[in-house]
Amino acid sequence: MTTQPTPDPRGAVETVFRMESPRIVAAVARIVRDVGLAEELAQDALVAALEQWPREGVPDNPGAWLMTTARHRAVDLVRRRENYARKLAELGRDLSEAVLPEEPSGPGDIDDDLLRLVFTTCHPVLSTEARTALTLRLLGGLTTAEIARAFLVPEPTVAQRIVRAKRTLARKNVAFEVPYGPDREARLDSVLDVIYLIFNEGYAATAGDDWLRPSLCEDALRLARVLSALMPKEPEVHGLTSLLEFQTSRAAARTGLDGEPVLLKDQDRRRWNRMLIARGIKALSRAEVTAAGAPPGRYTLQAAIAACHAHAYRYEETDWKSIATLYALLAARAPSPVVELNRAVAVSMAEGPAPALRIVDTLTDEPALRDYHLLPSVRGDLLYRLGRAEEARAEFERAAALTRNARERELLLRRAREV
């Protein structure tokens, strides 16, 4: 394999591994049937790259190099297992077939290792918190610190959840598969939550130098589309897919030439992807039809909110009253401090900053929002609109100190200076 020079091989290794680790872990897990072991083998490939690439150069296809190295190590491990020969004889396959088994064909089968990984890590033997943390770690390639930020919980708590989850899956000998029938339905809510959190991490990264992580958004949207095809009668699957289509449609307009964040009101809506918006409208219609008159779920409600933004060709045309009403429904359907904060933003646009500030002030003592940078950010904006400049500046500075994303920090500090 040919190589190319690079001024920072170690940086290249870390960047490529962060992008490719979910696919590597998923592919290796299909071989060894153990997600914890698969992650260890992926880390072994990373160590090998850190040793070789600075000396020999970065391969032309670094992702393929990491994948091949991890898979070879997985095959070697399988060969060394004492019961491998017996299992191979029982299966009647040669080594290559045992490593990459043929999957049964049928309308319910999905030849997608990433989706298998999601359903495996969302197994009911794990708590909801553990399922989501483990899947974000393995599928999203996030650090425990980033997951803790997404969960608004301490980092040691997330680390313990991940370790215990991997041990539980191994101890219970959970199969690496997409389940069928009732088992699939039982895991669906958790799977949707995981996909949504993965997308959110890509849509507004909690840490790092970039505000967007497009690869995470792409993986989440692809998985949502696959689920929509697999479960055409599940309204919330279509609701989530619709939401992600709408959100992704704005991606090109959400950053400037230098990667800096561009707020919704400042975005050039001509850059919004109208094809994705059309897909979002279609998926939302499917969600409403399949619901058959039942109250809309939380993802369908969020998709309806996103649709209101998509239908406005100019920021000034946004139907904020409808958005505020939809957020009130969402708060009743799935109450949370974050939903209430978003409702306050909509109320501020529909009714003015004063009633919105009253909502926000009820959230200041919420433990889950104690270190959530968007709370002081929203409060700063409301205070600024009310003419309370000094208080607004302090809130923007506090928000900047709380965020771990460099791009977002720059934006918040700039707003503090402008106030």
Side-chain angles (χ1 to χ4, degrees):
M1 185 178 292
T2 59
T3 59
Q4 53 192 17
T6 177
D8 183 18
R10 187 178 187 89
V13 173
E14 294 172 352
T15 298
V16 173
F17 185 77
R18 188 177 182 90
M19 294 171 59
E20 299 294 333
S21 63
R23 293 178 179 84
I24 295 171
V25 171
V28 173
R30 187 177 180 187
I31 298 172
V32 299
R33 305 287 169 169
D34 183 322
V35 294
L37 184 56
E39 186 182 21
E40 292 177 12
L41 292 168
Q43 292 288 340
D44 287 346
L46 171 64
V47 172
L50 288 171
E51 293 173 348
Q52 295 183 37
W53 292 8
R55 182 177 65 250
E56 302 174 4
V58 179
D60 286 339
N61 192 336
W65 190 98
L66 287 168
M67 177 70 79
T68 300
T69 300
R71 286 164 65 93
H72 283 170
R73 289 171 185 255
V75 170
D76 290 341
L77 178 65
V78 171
R79 283 198 181 106
R80 291 196 301 268
R81 287 176 174 171
E82 294 181 354
N83 62 350
Y84 177 70
R86 177 181 57 79
K87 287 186 176 181
L88 184 59
E90 292 173 354
L91 293 171
R93 297 170 176 169
D94 60 25
L95 178 60
S96 61
E97 288 176 332
V99 170
L100 296 173
E102 292 288 332
E103 294 294 322
S105 60
D109 293 310
I110 308 173
D111 187 15
D112 191 311
D113 288 337
L114 285 175
L115 193 59
R116 287 187 179 90
L117 183 59
V118 174
F119 269 97
T120 300
T121 56
C122 290
H123 196 281
V125 298
L126 304 177
S127 68
T128 300
E129 295 81 6
R131 297 173 205 171
T132 310
L134 182 60
T135 306
L136 283 172
R137 171 66 178 159
L138 298 182
L139 184 75
L142 308 187
T143 65
T144 54
E146 290 170 337
I147 299 170
R149 187 69 173 178
F151 282 162
L152 305 177
V153 296
E155 185 175 344
T157 300
V158 172
Q160 291 174 3
R161 287 176 184 170
I162 292 172
V163 170
R164 291 171 182 168
K166 288 191 287 190
R167 288 175 179 169
T168 300
L169 291 176
R171 187 175 67 253
K172 298 290 186 178
N173 196 27
V174 172
F176 184 66
E177 63 182 8
V178 177
Y180 299 91
D183 288 342
R184 179 184 291 170
E185 302 299 328
R187 293 193 226 173
L188 181 58
D189 284 347
S190 186
V191 169
L192 295 180
D193 289 346
V194 167
I195 293 174
Y196 182 55
L197 281 173
I198 291 170
F199 182 88
N200 278 347
E201 179 58 33
Y203 196 67
T206 56
D209 297 327
D210 298 316
W211 197 36
L212 300 180
R213 294 176 60 188
S215 62
L216 285 181
C217 292
E218 292 167 4
D219 277 342
L221 180 54
R222 181 178 61 82
L223 288 170
R225 288 172 176 170
V226 169
L227 280 179
S228 288
L230 179 67
M231 302 179 175
K233 296 182 180 180
E234 291 290 340
E236 276 294 80
V237 173
H238 296 304
L240 177 62
T241 304
S242 173
L243 174 61
L244 302 195
E245 300 279 10
F246 283 129
Q247 299 292 71
T248 305
S249 73
R250 307 178 201 163
R254 294 187 70 243
T255 55
L257 294 176
D258 296 326
E260 72 278 9
V262 178
L263 298 178
L264 181 63
K265 66 183 179 65
D266 299 321
Q267 290 175 17
D268 181 355
R269 300 192 175 205
R270 294 171 298 180
R271 300 185 66 196
W272 286 9
N273 189 315
R274 290 292 153 182
M275 181 191 73
L276 292 178
I277 289 174
R279 292 182 65 107
I281 293 171
K282 187 174 182 179
L284 180 57
S285 176
R286 287 175 179 166
E288 293 168 347
V289 169
T290 54
R298 54 197 174 105
Y299 290 118
T300 301
L301 285 169
Q302 290 179 75
I305 292 168
C308 289
H309 290 295
H311 287 306
Y313 284 88
R314 295 188 304 118
Y315 183 75
E316 295 75 16
E317 298 173 358
T318 306
D319 186 355
W320 287 109
K321 288 186 177 180
S322 292
I323 292 175
T325 299
L326 287 166
Y327 266 120
L329 293 173
L330 180 60
R333 175 71 174 78
S336 81
V338 173
V339 170
E340 198 66 6
L341 182 62
N342 287 331
R343 185 174 76 86
V345 174
V347 168
S348 77
M349 301 304 297
E351 304 175 22
L357 183 61
R358 289 195 290 271
I359 297 173
V360 171
D361 284 345
T362 66
L363 302 173
T364 55
D365 293 330
E366 282 285 347
L369 299 183
R370 182 180 58 187
D371 297 322
Y372 190 50
H373 69 283
L374 291 182
L375 176 61
S377 175
V378 170
R379 194 168 189 275
D381 182 69
L382 297 175
L383 290 168
Y384 175 72
R385 290 167 58 188
L386 289 168
R388 296 160 62 176
E390 289 301 319
E391 294 174 83
R393 182 180 299 110
E395 290 293 327
F396 286 133
E397 290 173 348
R398 179 168 173 260
L402 288 174
T403 184
R404 295 174 60 186
N405 184 281
R407 295 291 189 177
E408 203 162 23
R409 185 180 303 112
E410 292 170 4
L411 172 65
L412 291 165
L413 290 174
R414 184 171 72 249
R415 296 200 68 189
R417 290 192 298 269
E418 291 172 352
V419 169

